[in-house]
Amino acid sequence: MEELNEKYVRDLIIKLGLTDTIIEIYDEHISDEIIAEELGYSWSKPYTILELPAEDQQEYEVDKYIPLLSINSTQIIAYDVDREGYIKYYVEQGLADLTCYTWDGVLLEELTFWWENEVEEEDIEHIAKKIGLKHYAPILKSLEEHSEAGLLSTFETQKIWFEKMYKEFNIKK
């Protein structure tokens, strides 16, 4: 495969029907103040992969897993061509044991991260709408209920909750 380039990835984002906000994040021209404040410093074009020469890009199987976005320059959200869904991986850890999700599924941990870091609920809802999350409202409600009941206090209970959300909303492929 020839070198993966920015235009190809941008065209794919459009073809996948991701929101204009995702395109703005990719283009690094965010017009929304809340998105700019909450995601502008951490979400970006996946330079970590795109700046590599073609032979090095193949380490990340870019013909199969097309990188769409980078989070904190260490984590990649990619489109899985074969399974027609989204994956997430850490650049340093490579492509072992990849789970495929819907758009909501691949961003469930991010939604939870915003909530845990006390981003205002109105801002979370705004971000969720702008980036195209469909199930954010009931997931936020579940987070609140489980947290109040002390059911998210350990890694094990968090893992159980995540699996419940993946199954309940059918957001894992």
Side-chain angles (χ1 to χ4, degrees):
M1 179 180 177
E2 50 187 72
E3 186 172 281
L4 184 66
N5 64 55
E6 292 180 19
K7 182 184 179 333
Y8 180 86
V9 174
R10 187 181 193 284
D11 290 347
L12 178 62
I13 289 170
I14 294 167
K15 181 180 173 189
L16 292 171
L18 298 178
T19 67
D20 289 344
T21 299
I22 296 299
I23 295 166
E24 286 184 9
I25 292 168
Y26 185 83
D27 289 345
E28 300 173 326
H29 294 292
I30 301 170
S31 61
D32 185 281
E33 288 181 30
I34 295 170
I35 300 293
E37 183 177 325
E38 297 297 338
L39 306 182
Y41 297 106
S42 56
W43 287 34
S44 67
K45 193 175 292 183
Y47 289 112
T48 315
I49 308 297
L50 292 173
E51 291 180 345
L52 295 172
E55 60 273 4
D56 293 338
Q57 285 181 348
Q58 281 310 304
E59 245 182 85
Y60 298 99
E61 299 180 45
V62 296
D63 49 338
K64 182 177 178 180
Y65 306 120
I66 302 167
L68 304 175
L69 293 170
S70 174
I71 300 174
N72 295 320
S73 300
T74 60
Q75 196 172 40
I76 302 292
I77 294 174
Y79 181 70
D80 183 328
V81 175
D82 294 341
R83 296 184 283 181
E84 298 180 343
Y86 302 90
I87 61 161
K88 189 167 24 175
Y89 62 89
Y90 286 95
V91 175
E92 296 297 321
Q93 294 174 354
L95 304 173
D97 302 319
L98 297 174
T99 302
C100 190
Y101 303 94
T102 65
W103 185 246
D104 278 65
V106 80
L107 293 173
L108 180 61
E109 288 181 22
E110 288 299 303
L111 182 68
T112 305
F113 173 80
W114 303 326
W115 184 83
E116 289 173 343
N117 284 283
E118 299 179 3
V119 173
E120 295 290 329
E121 190 165 336
E122 305 84 48
D123 290 350
I124 295 173
E125 290 175 2
H126 178 80
I127 295 165
K129 287 177 188 175
K130 295 294 260 181
I131 64 173
L133 299 181
K134 297 174 187 154
H135 305 291
Y136 69 89
I139 289 171
L140 289 173
K141 184 177 182 205
S142 178
L143 268 171
E144 186 73 35
E145 290 169 354
H146 280 73
S147 179
E148 286 175 1
L151 300 174
L152 296 175
S153 58
T154 67
F155 288 120
E156 190 58 39
T157 56
Q158 289 173 4
K159 183 177 177 184
I160 291 167
W161 180 83
F162 274 106
E163 288 304 319
K164 178 183 177 195
M165 294 299 102
Y166 292 133
K167 186 174 182 180
E168 187 173 328
F169 297 103
N170 195 30
I171 55 178
K172 186 189 260 189
K173 291 198 166 227

